[in-house]
Amino acid sequence: MSEKKDFLRLKVEEDLQAGKYNKVITRFPPEPNGFPHIGHAKSICINFGIAEDYEGFCNLRMDDTNPTKEDTKYVEALKDAVQWLGFNWGDKVHFTSDYFPKLYEYAIQLIKMGKAYVDSINEEEMREFRGTVKEAGKRSIYANRSIEENLELFEKMKNGEFKDGEHVLRAKIDMSAANMKLRDPLLYRIRHAHHFRTNDDWCIYPMYDFAHCLSDYLEGVSHSICTLEFENNRDIYNWVLDTLGLELPRPYQHEFARLGINYTVMSKRKLLELVQGGQVSGWDDPRMPTIAGYKRRGYTKESILNFCDQIGIAKANSMVDVAQLEFCIRDDLNKKVPRVMCVLDPLKVTIENYEGSEEIDASYYPHDVPKEGSRKIPFSKEIFIEKDDFCENLPKGYFRLTPTQPVRLRHGFIITCKEVIKDSNGNIIEIKAQYHPNSKSGEDTSGIKVKSAIQWVSSKDAKQIEVRLYDRLFKDEAPEGLEDINPNSLKVIKDALIEPAVITQKPDTRFQFERQGYFYADPIDYSDEKPVFNKIVGLKDSWAKKSVSKENAKQEPKKEVRKEQVVGSETPMNDEQKELFEKYTNELKLNSEVANILARDEKLSSFYEEVLKELNSPISIANIVVTEVARVLKEKQIDELKFNSKQIAQLVKMLDDETISNKIAKEVFEEMSKIGENPITIVEQKGLVQISDPAIILPIIEEIIAKNPDNLEKYKAGNKKLLGFFVGQVLKNTGGKANPKVVNELVGLKLQ
């Protein structure tokens, strides 16, 4: 846990210190009437996270009190989401239906106390009698029924002697209460419907406000944590438990702000409409904000957890920029996935002065990613490049191939255009080119200067794949319904071409297609015969500087997006923010999401500028400031921080010098936040210096290989993915202190 605790954890600690509870027990109580979405991920992280932090446990409980909407498939989707995010609910999944007999007994108890009655007015009358915020309500005449009559009617309701809606059970509280939730709320209603667990045993079902608090009590829950929309329901929660006089300890409800994300709908009702209406392929459509959708699209659990950690826990509702979630997945994948070449819109290039074929050695990872791995890329006379990587008329700032401008083939040679071949309609269908034999990447002695490198594939060796280009499902920042769906949210390319190693060697399931974005082998539709890849996210925020054409702007002026208005921001940037944004993106080369966060937050940008004065490492500093420092600055002023800009610069310097790893840097930062100690001192005192000495690492590698003979055999038989297993074991064994680059290299040598 970080030193700066949110208000929920502070409450938990207060209760523990006061001896209110012996053990912290939370619960995650979704209704199984749809697939869980990103908002549920936040709730999962809070409830399971708090339980873990205080050595308690969290129950997974299905709130299955509405048989007309619930289904076993939703139960399984909820279980899968919790497991995928890395949380454990123990031996048993709880269901509210487990407590139906006991809840019925509690309802009988309230009737006998004169605190509940069977009402027989219709819904329209009930709404009319409820009153308004300014006017007291009017109690139903049926509230005067005797206890005996209420008991008899309630039993008949249970026995199925009445139709749906003919009667309800209501609490007798206060029809003039300022909190309208207390104006004789419903406790039970009749539903003649088949329940997926209790079958037809029951035809009356408890309402949420009655079942929820009592289920918490029966499970021994200490802290019932829910979203802010249930704040007014807290009075009913307390009324039921207090009126029944249940034995202590009893649970108490605490609320936090629910997650709202722009360009996204979080209503399960609206999401169900999309599924049933065929606007998406299902609950796991990669455009859906469901956990299943993110999972199928290729998001990692680490990116979701990091996003939930970054947005924090607040008491007031607010809108989060979807670009922040996209930043989290880019940030995670950037350090993990292989880089490969794929051509989405092929244009044939014939290299006239080249004969035969060869293989070019190329690393899967850039120098700043601490992973090892390479492949051989076939090169031949006929290749394909992206159509938009050739331009016949050289525009300003265009650095790719033109009739007068050579370009480098990524990892390969420099080529020069010699002739442009067109069809009868004037469309370019082929480029005749020459290559420069002495210009091979890494061995270039040609002296030719080029300003960019483009991706390409060999015509005879490339593999054809289907690529699904996903974009945001809604085009409006605050979507209302189907009318706001983005018509370009999915584009399918059936004939994209990719270098063969991706398909034949399968070095991973997630890749960065260079200059295109991050992609994931679809876990359902992918096959060796028909490879299918989903676009996870672009390399940078393609929405950040989109502008609407004048024609469209005239038609929809309220939906205009100015160039300086980064997507997701509620207001355009002011002049000072725009100037910072331009500086950060153009001069310091920060990506647009990071630049947007810094430019819009005065405290954050001020701190960032101070660190820059200490160390010229803008990208590394920005990454730590927007992720780690930002969390602390949410609730503190700069002069309240226990660390300063100089110390952050020292931390980044150790990271840049590979004295410590990224994992250790996070640990050191947490310690700095708590005690304000110099990071160099923390690293020295705790022995956190990154281990790069092969003499220390090799014995650990040998021991791990010796303990895993089966995996060693599988690796030698061709399962090269197990390299990651051995590397991971070494890093785990050293507490994350071993240098990943060194470990990768040494493990690779030892496994040969």
Side-chain angles (χ1 to χ4, degrees):
M1 283 185 295
S2 62
E3 181 264 343
K4 182 65 179 177
K5 297 182 178 69
D6 56 78
F7 72 95
L8 291 174
R9 284 173 169 82
L10 290 174
K11 180 60 182 171
V12 170
E13 290 189 2
E14 177 188 321
D15 289 344
L16 290 174
Q17 289 168 5
K20 200 171 183 178
Y21 306 104
N22 294 324
K23 195 172 190 67
V24 173
I25 302 174
T26 60
R27 83 294 166 272
F28 172 57
E31 183 181 1
N33 62 351
F35 276 49
H37 52 60
I38 188 69
H40 292 103
K42 178 180 178 180
S43 184
I44 290 168
C45 290
I46 290 172
N47 281 289
F48 281 92
I50 287 177
E52 283 184 4
D53 285 350
Y54 296 96
E55 299 181 351
F57 57 89
C58 179
N59 290 340
L60 173 59
R61 180 173 74 236
M62 304 297 166
D63 179 33
D64 55 338
T65 56
N66 188 352
T68 61
K69 294 183 179 180
E70 296 156 358
D71 196 282
T72 303
K73 68 181 179 182
Y74 299 136
V75 172
E76 293 305 314
L78 285 157
K79 288 164 61 179
D80 181 75
V82 174
Q83 284 181 321
W84 182 67
L85 287 171
F87 297 107
N88 179 18
W89 58 77
D91 299 330
K92 178 185 178 183
V93 175
H94 298 261
F95 292 83
T96 301
S97 56
D98 294 337
Y99 313 124
F100 280 177
K102 189 64 180 175
L103 296 177
Y104 180 75
E105 290 179 18
Y106 283 132
I108 294 291
Q109 189 175 334
L110 287 176
I111 294 173
K112 288 180 177 179
M113 295 169 68
K115 297 295 184 179
Y117 62 95
V118 174
D119 198 1
S120 307
I121 61 175
N122 59 42
E123 286 186 27
E124 186 177 340
E125 287 178 303
M126 197 174 294
R127 280 194 297 271
E128 182 183 339
F129 285 10
R130 192 165 179 243
T132 66
V133 175
K134 295 182 179 179
E135 296 179 359
K138 177 183 175 183
R139 185 162 274 158
S140 166
I141 58 170
Y142 297 109
N144 296 321
R145 282 171 167 155
S146 67
I147 290 173
E148 290 73 19
E149 186 179 2
N150 281 321
L151 289 171
E152 181 182 353
L153 285 170
F154 190 50
E155 184 176 4
K156 287 182 177 180
M157 286 170 61
K158 172 181 171 290
N159 294 337
E161 297 182 31
F162 302 116
K163 299 176 183 176
D164 287 6
E166 197 169 346
H167 302 288
V168 294
L169 183 70
R170 297 179 72 175
K172 185 182 283 188
I173 306 179
D174 182 1
M175 289 302 293
S176 62
N179 181 355
M180 295 182 69
K181 296 278 187 181
L182 291 177
R183 295 184 183 181
D184 291 11
L186 271 62
L187 302 181
Y188 268 90
R189 79 289 208 200
I190 300 170
R191 284 282 189 276
H192 288 280
H194 183 79
H195 190 283
F196 72 96
R197 291 190 76 242
T198 61
N199 301 315
D200 300 314
D201 294 348
W202 294 86
C203 59
I204 57 170
Y205 291 93
M207 303 299 290
Y208 170 86
D209 284 326
F210 184 63
H212 181 65
C213 57
L214 290 169
S215 298
D216 284 348
Y217 176 77
L218 292 168
E219 292 176 8
V221 168
S222 59
H223 298 82
S224 184
I225 301 168
C226 56
T227 49
L228 207 57
E229 63 194 288
F230 294 101
E231 184 177 19
N232 288 335
N233 301 62
R234 190 197 324 142
D235 288 341
I236 306 177
Y237 189 102
N238 290 332
W239 182 89
V240 172
L241 296 179
D242 292 342
T243 303
L244 287 168
L246 300 174
E247 183 180 341
L248 296 177
R250 51 150 285 191
Y252 286 87
Q253 178 177 304
H254 308 277
E255 306 87 20
F256 67 94
R258 70 182 301 172
L259 175 61
I261 304 180
N262 56 13
Y263 295 93
T264 309
V265 296
M266 298 285 225
S267 162
K268 281 195 282 187
R269 176 183 59 81
K270 290 183 179 180
L271 295 177
L272 180 61
E273 287 177 3
L274 292 172
V275 173
Q276 293 178 335
Q279 282 81 19
V280 294
S281 61
W283 285 99
D284 68 343
D285 187 298
R287 293 166 292 177
M288 290 279 274
T290 57
I291 297 175
Y294 287 119
K295 184 178 175 183
R296 184 171 179 184
R297 186 160 175 169
Y299 274 67
T300 60
K301 71 175 184 180
E302 291 83 3
S303 66
I304 301 291
L305 294 173
N306 190 33
F307 172 69
C308 292
D309 182 53
Q310 283 187 21
I311 59 179
I313 303 173
K315 293 183 180 181
N317 289 325
S318 61
M319 187 63 65
V320 175
D321 193 337
V322 68
Q324 189 169 351
L325 175 59
E326 292 166 350
F327 167 77
C328 287
I329 183 61
R330 284 192 197 96
D331 186 55
D332 188 44
L333 295 181
N334 180 53
K335 302 170 239 178
K336 291 181 176 178
V337 303
R339 275 63 165 169
V340 297
M341 295 192 292
C342 178
V343 175
L344 302 183
D345 191 10
L347 172 63
K348 184 179 178 181
V349 176
T350 302
I351 304 172
E352 295 181 309
N353 63 332
Y354 185 91
E355 298 297 334
S357 63
E358 63 183 283
E359 291 184 324
I360 297 173
D361 290 320
S363 172
Y364 278 123
Y365 305 98
H367 69 278
D368 58 342
V369 174
K371 297 186 74 172
E372 298 293 332
S374 62
R375 79 284 195 193
K376 294 185 181 298
I377 305 172
F379 181 72
S380 59
K381 184 182 186 71
E382 292 183 354
I383 63 171
F384 286 101
I385 65 171
E386 287 287 349
K387 277 185 181 175
D388 63 8
D389 278 342
F390 177 81
C391 186
E392 198 168 11
N393 301 305
L394 181 62
K396 183 180 179 181
Y398 187 86
F399 299 128
R400 287 163 276 172
L401 186 63
T402 73
T404 60
Q405 180 172 271
V407 74
R408 179 176 296 282
L409 300 175
R410 179 83 165 117
H411 301 297
F413 300 93
I414 294 173
I415 60 171
T416 300
C417 173
K418 291 300 179 184
E419 184 182 356
V420 179
I421 310 297
K422 300 181 181 180
D423 62 15
S424 57
N425 295 319
N427 299 311
I428 300 172
I429 57 173
E430 184 180 357
I431 301 295
K432 300 286 187 180
Q434 287 189 346
Y435 89 115
H436 301 271
N438 57 346
S439 67
K440 190 173 184 181
S441 183
E443 306 170 10
D444 189 352
T445 59
S446 67
I448 301 171
K449 301 296 182 183
V450 293
K451 293 185 177 180
S452 69
I454 61 174
Q455 69 263 38
W456 57 278
V457 291
S458 169
S459 171
K460 67 177 182 179
D461 302 289
K463 301 293 183 181
Q464 185 170 311
I465 62 172
E466 178 178 311
V467 174
R468 297 168 183 174
L469 301 176
Y470 293 104
D471 204 343
R472 295 175 185 172
L473 184 56
F474 292 96
K475 65 180 185 292
D476 193 74
E477 188 171 352
E480 294 293 332
L482 301 182
E483 67 276 10
D484 292 316
I485 284 182
N486 175 12
N488 301 313
S489 64
L490 172 61
K491 178 183 178 183
V492 179
I493 299 173
K494 298 279 190 181
D495 54 358
L497 299 172
I498 201 164
E499 57 176 277
V502 175
I503 308 302
T504 58
Q505 296 179 16
K506 295 185 175 67
D508 205 333
T509 54
R510 293 178 180 85
F511 299 88
Q512 183 191 111
F513 292 0
E514 296 205 38
R515 298 175 57 239
Q516 305 281 13
Y518 293 98
F519 290 79
Y520 180 53
D522 187 280
I524 296 175
D525 294 339
Y526 184 100
S527 68
D528 289 340
E529 295 73 30
K530 184 188 174 184
V532 178
F533 288 87
N534 299 328
K535 183 176 182 179
I536 308 170
V537 70
L539 295 178
K540 55 186 177 181
D541 186 1
S542 60
W543 288 62
K545 294 188 177 181
K546 278 185 179 178
S547 59
V548 181
S549 68
K550 290 182 180 179
E551 180 180 347
N552 289 339
K554 289 176 183 177
Q555 294 173 356
E556 298 181 287
K558 71 182 182 76
K559 295 186 180 179
E560 181 179 354
V561 182
R562 295 182 179 90
K563 285 186 178 181
E564 73 274 11
Q565 182 179 356
V566 175
V567 164
S569 57
E570 295 180 1
T571 57
M573 288 183 177
N574 59 37
D575 291 341
E576 186 179 347
Q577 290 171 335
K578 283 187 281 184
E579 186 177 339
L580 276 177
F581 183 80
E582 293 299 322
K583 171 187 172 182
Y584 292 155
T585 52
N586 296 334
E587 294 179 27
L588 302 184
K589 306 301 181 185
L590 305 186
N591 69 45
S592 57
E593 293 96 332
V594 172
N596 176 40
I597 294 169
L598 289 172
R600 289 180 179 277
D601 190 318
E602 187 177 349
K603 285 198 298 183
L604 215 55
S605 60
S606 174
F607 188 86
Y608 176 64
E609 297 285 346
E610 288 299 315
V611 183
L612 272 179
K613 293 176 184 176
E614 302 287 342
L615 178 70
N616 183 24
S617 183
I619 295 175
S620 297
I621 293 172
N623 288 337
I624 280 188
V625 169
V626 299
T627 55
E628 306 303 328
V629 176
R631 285 191 293 111
V632 183
L633 276 178
K634 278 183 181 178
E635 298 182 18
K636 283 187 175 182
Q637 297 300 317
I638 289 178
D639 58 6
E640 296 175 324
L641 299 177
K642 290 191 176 181
F643 54 83
N644 56 41
S645 57
K646 184 175 182 179
Q647 291 172 329
I648 293 298
Q650 291 172 336
L651 180 65
V652 173
K653 181 71 165 57
M654 288 192 288
L655 196 56
D656 286 350
D657 293 344
E658 298 187 355
T659 303
I660 58 174
S661 63
N662 280 301
K663 181 179 179 182
I664 296 300
K666 289 179 180 289
E667 182 180 336
V668 173
F669 177 80
E670 294 299 333
E671 195 71 13
M672 291 165 59
S673 301
K674 292 178 185 177
I675 62 175
E677 184 62 82
N678 184 293
I680 298 173
T681 305
I682 295 172
V683 169
E684 290 174 350
Q685 288 179 346
K686 294 200 168 190
L688 299 176
V689 174
Q690 187 163 248
I691 304 169
S692 299
D693 187 350
I696 299 174
I697 298 174
L698 276 172
I700 299 172
I701 295 173
E702 290 167 354
E703 181 183 353
I704 288 169
I705 290 176
K707 287 181 177 179
N708 294 276
D710 292 344
N711 282 341
L712 176 63
E713 187 176 338
K714 290 176 184 176
Y715 178 86
K716 291 188 173 180
N719 188 350
K720 301 305 180 184
K721 287 185 179 181
L722 286 170
L723 174 68
F725 164 79
F726 287 106
V727 170
Q729 290 296 307
V730 175
L731 295 175
K732 182 179 179 181
N733 191 277
T734 60
K737 290 190 285 186
N739 186 323
K741 287 184 180 179
V742 176
V743 172
N744 266 282
E745 182 179 346
L746 294 177
V747 169
L749 291 172
K750 277 292 178 182
L751 290 177
Q752 286 180 358

